[in-house]
């Protein structure tokens, strides 16, 4: 409630007309350095100019299936892991996990921390995966990231969404055993 009142006050003082409560709340959170924004999980449609990143091949993969919630069918899944500890400047990762389901559900989970010594409160950091089938055909590039506050201990971040990307669904059975991924620190 206090955040909502402060948001209305700051947006009026700044002369900003924001109609939606969500946008107003995001404005105040950003003004106070409380933004939880990051890179929303999704598929990249064009290459981004990442300045600080490091790429490697996944070091583990698994596959299996789970019972669908409302059907008598099973959903197949492929999971790719990066288990090595990685640092890119002040951004640290302990583990990264991507899981793709045959119905288009994409899940991301990572353990991250930030040791920024600058005046900023942290960095947006995340991971991107180039998903390919066994023949090397690129099916898509997905990315997820979060604002990681500085000086916090290693902690988990997770996100998921359903992607109606037809190449993923059509070539799901042919996904490669390893994938290329990159740790991104913005």
């Amino acid at each position: 409630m206090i955040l909502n009142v402060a948001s209305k006050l700051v947006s009026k003082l700044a002369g900003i007309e924001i109609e939606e409560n969500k946008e107003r709340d995001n404005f105040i959170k950003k003004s106070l350095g409380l933004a939880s924004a990051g890179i929303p999980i999704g598929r990249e449609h064009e290459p981004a100019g990442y300045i600080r990143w490091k790429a490697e091949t996944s070091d583990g993969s698994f596959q299996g299936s789970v019972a669908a919630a409302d059907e008598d069918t099973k959903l197949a899944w492929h999971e790719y892991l990066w288990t090595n500890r990685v640092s890119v400047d002040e951004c640290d990762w302990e583990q990264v996990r991507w899981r793709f389901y045959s119905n288009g559900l994409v899940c991301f989970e990572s353990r991250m921390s930030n040791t920024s010594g600058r005046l900023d409160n942290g960095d947006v950091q995340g991971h991107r995966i180039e998903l390919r089938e066994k023949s090397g055909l690129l099916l898509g590039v997905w990315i997820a990231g979060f604002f990681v506050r500085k000086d916090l201990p290693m902690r988990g971040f997770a996100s998921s969404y359903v992607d109606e990307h037809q190449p993923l669904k059509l070539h799901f059975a042919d996904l490669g055993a390893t994938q290329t991924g990159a740790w991104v620190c913005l």
Side-chain angles (χ1 to χ4, degrees), residues 48-112:
Y50 302 117
I51 296 172
R52 300 180 297 166
W53 62 281
K54 179 181 179 182
E56 283 185 15
T57 303
S58 60
D59 57 355
S61 67
F62 302 96
Q63 55 186 358
S65 63
V66 294
D70 56 347
E71 302 172 13
D72 293 331
T73 61
K74 291 199 176 258
L75 290 175
W77 54 265
H78 287 272
E79 183 173 277
Y80 302 97
L81 300 171
W82 286 262
T83 58
N84 297 329
R85 188 174 183 106
V86 173
S87 293
V88 176
D89 294 335
E90 66 273 3
C91 300
D92 298 313
W93 293 263
E94 199 171 74
Q95 174 183 310
V96 172
R97 174 190 321 260
W98 284 94
R99 184 179 280 194
F100 294 86
Y101 288 85
S102 57
N103 68 348
L105 178 64
V106 179
C107 300
F108 169 81
E109 186 244 334
S110 182
R111 292 188 44 81
M112 300 182 279

Side-chain angles (χ1 to χ4, degrees), residues 92-140:
D92 298 313
W93 293 263
E94 199 171 74
Q95 174 183 310
V96 172
R97 174 190 321 260
W98 284 94
R99 184 179 280 194
F100 294 86
Y101 288 85
S102 57
N103 68 348
L105 178 64
V106 179
C107 300
F108 169 81
E109 186 244 334
S110 182
R111 292 188 44 81
M112 300 182 279
S113 68
N114 189 286
T115 57
S116 183
R118 300 177 299 196
L119 295 177
D120 64 359
N121 290 326
D123 292 288
V124 174
Q125 60 189 82
H127 197 263
R128 69 189 294 270
I129 184 172
E130 296 177 357
L131 194 65
R132 297 178 184 272
E133 68 172 22
K134 295 172 189 169
S135 70
L137 174 68
L138 179 63
L139 300 176

